Amino acid sequence: MSVLRSAQHPGWPAKIGPVMVAAGEVRLRPVRLRDAAAWSRIRLRDRDHLEPWEPTGRGTWEARNHASNWPSLWSGLKAEARRGAMIPLAIEVDGDFAGQITVGNIVRGALRSAWIGYWVARDLSGKGVATAALALGLDHCFGPVGLHRVEATVRPENLASQAVLRHAGFREEGLLRRYLDVDGAWRDHLLVGITVEEVLGTVVDRIVREGRATPL
Ligand code: ACO
């Protein structure tokens, strides 16, 4: 990492983790151009698992998630990361691409805030991968990135993601009505938030204390 870039954008690029959960060792690292095949394979296979919770896109699911679409998505994410507005990370389980976790709309100055969002391949569901990835991502935001607050929005129907957010210590702050164009319609979203003062030790410590992860 160049000194210049880390001064402009602390916490990018970074390799984060691991944390051990039921699925295996969870790590976060910057998305790569060569993630195309794994990214596309999972997203085409898991359409009905992912589509209900994701922003409505242009064109068909198949076209948007074809491997040939990844280079332009990837370069857009990297451009945002270079500008200091985003931290686009791949989630790895035992070294294999398993999903994504993204910190977006990073605002500095007196706000020092961002949002966080994630998805995980369906065949790894319920094995602690998203909980571990969120804990690692939050600790990164509150540590090297230097943020004070992280927020997330989640559909009230998305009980699995709400469980993941609760595990990390997020608080509910309100209901955003018709907030986001998701799966073809304007959907209500719960707004949840967490500030650095609410974290005792680290978020990884918290999930270890609660028996959701094992220290390495
Ligand atoms: N009702 C209640 N709880 C549920 C349900 C359900 N229907 N399904 C799963 N859960 C719980 C599990 O029991 C588990 O909690 P527990 O550990 O207390 O038992 C928790 O949800 C899941 O925890 P993890 O195993 O850490 O999560 P996983 O790796 O399975 O990933 C995720 C969860 C990210 C929601 C995954 O299913 C996914 O990618 N879904 C599609 C995309 C998505 O919804 N992304 C999140 C959008 S919102 C946001 O990004 C802030």
Side-chain angles (χ1 to χ4, degrees):
M1 181 188 347
S2 78
V3 173
L4 186 60
R5 186 182 300 172
S6 67
Q8 285 172 341
H9 186 177
W12 176 262
K15 291 186 172 180
I16 307 166
V19 161
M20 177 63 92
V21 293
E25 280 188 15
V26 177
R27 288 184 166 79
L28 310 181
R29 49 100 180 141
V31 288
R32 296 175 185 146
L33 186 55
R34 63 181 181 278
D35 290 327
W39 170 83
S40 176
R41 183 176 44 76
I42 297 170
R43 293 188 56 88
L44 293 178
R45 184 192 67 195
D46 290 356
R47 176 179 179 169
D48 57 340
H49 172 64
L50 300 170
E51 198 171 25
W53 318 115
E54 296 205 352
T56 306
R58 287 189 167 189
T60 65
W61 182 265
E62 286 70 22
R64 278 188 279 133
N65 291 285
H66 193 273
S68 62
N69 205 35
W70 176 251
S72 63
L73 271 177
W74 170 81
S75 69
L77 293 170
K78 295 281 276 199
E80 286 297 289
R82 275 195 295 272
R83 185 170 91 71
M86 190 174 262
I87 301 180
L89 299 166
I91 303 172
E92 283 185 351
V93 176
D94 291 338
D96 292 331
F97 183 94
Q100 287 175 264
I101 184 162
T102 307
V103 181
N105 196 26
I106 298 173
V107 180
R108 297 204 173 265
L111 195 55
R112 297 203 284 284
S113 178
W115 56 251
I116 197 161
Y118 42 78
W119 65 267
V120 170
R122 179 176 17 212
D123 58 357
L124 294 164
S125 284
K127 295 180 181 167
V129 176
T131 296
L134 183 58
L136 289 169
L138 279 179
D139 285 341
H140 191 64
C141 287
F142 291 138
V145 184
L147 298 182
H148 173 251
R149 178 174 188 277
V150 177
E151 66 180 37
T153 56
V154 59
R155 289 183 63 184
E157 300 86 353
N158 195 344
L159 300 178
S161 184
Q162 286 174 59
V164 170
L165 292 162
R166 270 197 309 277
H167 296 161
F170 276 91
R171 269 175 297 102
E172 200 174 308
E173 295 184 330
L175 180 66
L176 305 172
R177 295 194 185 275
R178 296 176 292 285
Y179 173 65
L180 203 59
D181 184 0
V182 165
D183 195 21
W186 293 104
R187 311 287 184 174
D188 293 352
H189 279 69
L190 294 166
L191 173 66
V192 300
I194 185 168
T195 62
V196 68
E197 298 87 353
E198 294 169 274
V199 180
L200 302 174
T202 66
V203 183
V204 168
D205 288 343
R206 176 191 170 106
I207 65 168
V208 168
R209 272 198 310 273
E210 292 183 351
R212 303 186 188 284
T214 316
L216 275 168

